[in-house]
Every structure is written in C-alpha cells, then in structure tokens.
Amino acid sequence: TELDLSYSLNKEEIPPEIGDLTNLTVLNLSHNLFTGVIPPEIGNLTNLTVLNLYYNLLTIIPPEIGNLTNLTVLNLSCNQLTGSIPPEIGNLTNLTNLRLYDNQLTGSIPSEIGNLTNLDWLQLNDNQLTGSIPPEIGNLTNLTNLKLHHNQLTGSIPSEIGNLTNLTSLYLTKTQLTGSIPPEIGNLTNLTNLELTKTQLTGSIPPEIGNLTNL
C-alpha cells in the first residue's frame, strides 16, 4: 500500500506498469532523476492519498491525474514540467496540499482550482503562468498559504481574495499584476506575511491594510 523509492537516484522514466499497483495509498518517488512524462497510467492508482514526485526531471502532468480523487497531498514541485496545469486537477476535491512550484508551467491558473475547497496550502510560484488570478480562488477559504509569486500573472488582484480569512502567508511578488490593492485585503486579519513587491500595482495603499495587526 506504500512505496517509497525517494533518494534512490533513479535515472529512468517512471514505468507505465506503476499503474498496476492499484492498492497503493502512498507513492513517494521524490529526490531522484526520473525523466520523461508522468505516465498517464498513474491515473489508475485511485486509492492514492499521497503522491510525491518532487525533485525529479519530469516534463508533463497528464490529465489522468484528475482520476486520483482520494489524494490529500500532491507535490510535483522542482521538476521540469511544461505545458499547462490540467483543469482535471479540479477533480481532486480532497486535496489539502498542492505544490507545483519551481517548474516551467505556462498558461493560466485554471478556474477549476476553485473546486479544491479543502486546500490548506497552494504553491504555484516560480513558473511561467500567465493570465489573471481566477476569482474562484476566493472559494478556498481553508487556505493558510497562497504562493503565486515569480510568475507572469496579469490583471488585478481579485476582490474575492478577501474571502481567504485563514491566510497567514500571501505572496504575489514579481508578477505583472496591475490595478490597485483591493480594500478587501483588510479582511485577512491572520496574515503574518504579505509580499506585493516587484509588481505594477498602482494607486494608494488602502487604509484597510491597518486591520492586519498580525503582520
């Protein structure tokens, strides 16, 4: 039910036969040199609750990842992932932790990410994501950490971000965001870290920022 091959320095592709291990609940292949695509057969592992593939050289997220509806942790960070975040990721409604940072992902943040209402941690930073922050992000009211920095995101900060009243960290630095800081940011009274540097935000700092007494 658990397979841990982390730190074993595998240099091959992940074999498609991994999809035969249908009783797996935990798969950890992190800290290796696995290359190529994440095999679509991984979508057969519908009992998985934890999938850790971080620190490899993997290149593509298959849409079949959306079959893994029991996942609570999905960590694909620190790979060479290209292409877009598949909208099927919105099927993973049990996720509490989604980390895709430090890749080469392009395209927009899919609006389907707003389905992941159990998320506590969302980390998409250090990619090449474009487009605006979807207003559906405001559905993720259990989030404590939202890290979208070091991307090419445009448009304004959606006012719906003010729904995320459990946030302790919000990182939007080094993006192409424009417009003013929404006054709804003052709702985030649990914030301890707020980073908006190296953006194209304009206008005045809203007085509501004075509500953030935990910063």
Side-chain angles (χ1 to χ4, degrees):
T1 60
E2 298 189 14
L3 178 60
D4 188 345
L5 297 176
S6 57
Y7 294 95
S8 54
L9 296 180
N10 282 286
K11 298 182 180 179
E12 310 298 328
E13 295 188 357
I14 299 173
E17 290 82 1
I18 200 89
D20 297 337
L21 307 181
T22 54
N23 289 309
L24 280 182
T25 60
V26 176
L27 177 58
N28 186 1
L29 304 180
S30 63
H31 292 273
N32 279 292
L33 297 169
F34 282 115
T35 59
V37 302
I38 299 171
E41 290 82 0
I42 215 156
N44 299 343
L45 307 182
T46 54
N47 289 304
L48 277 185
T49 60
V50 175
L51 178 56
N52 284 328
L53 302 180
Y54 56 94
Y55 283 103
N56 278 290
L57 302 171
L58 299 167
T59 56
I60 297 289
I61 305 173
E64 288 82 1
I65 207 104
N67 298 345
L68 309 182
T69 53
N70 287 305
L71 277 184
T72 60
V73 174
L74 176 59
N75 192 339
L76 308 180
S77 58
C78 303
N79 276 284
Q80 296 180 1
L81 296 173
T82 59
S84 57
I85 300 170
E88 290 83 359
I89 218 159
N91 298 343
L92 310 183
T93 54
N94 287 303
L95 276 184
T96 61
N97 195 309
L98 176 58
R99 303 187 191 215
L100 303 179
Y101 67 89
D102 201 3
N103 280 292
Q104 300 164 35
L105 293 168
T106 55
S108 58
I109 299 171
S111 59
E112 289 83 356
I113 218 155
N115 299 341
L116 309 182
T117 54
N118 287 304
L119 274 185
D120 170 72
W121 195 292
L122 177 57
Q123 198 164 0
L124 305 180
N125 55 283
D126 291 278
N127 279 288
Q128 298 169 30
L129 297 171
T130 55
S132 58
I133 299 171
E136 290 82 0
I137 208 99
N139 298 343
L140 309 182
T141 54
N142 288 302
L143 274 186
T144 61
N145 285 269
L146 177 57
K147 300 185 176 184
L148 304 179
H149 55 285
H150 291 212
N151 277 294
Q152 298 171 32
L153 298 170
T154 55
S156 59
I157 300 171
S159 60
E160 289 83 357
I161 216 155
N163 299 343
L164 310 183
T165 54
N166 287 304
L167 274 187
T168 59
S169 294
L170 175 58
Y171 292 87
L172 301 176
T173 192
K174 204 174 180 183
T175 59
Q176 303 298 313
L177 292 169
T178 55
S180 58
I181 301 170
E184 289 82 1
I185 215 153
N187 299 344
L188 310 182
T189 54
N190 287 303
L191 276 185
T192 59
N193 295 285
L194 174 61
E195 292 200 9
L196 303 176
T197 59
K198 296 184 180 179
T199 64
Q200 298 183 34
L201 295 170
T202 55
S204 58
I205 298 171
E208 290 84 356
I209 213 158
N211 300 342
L212 309 184
T213 54
N214 289 302
L215 276 185

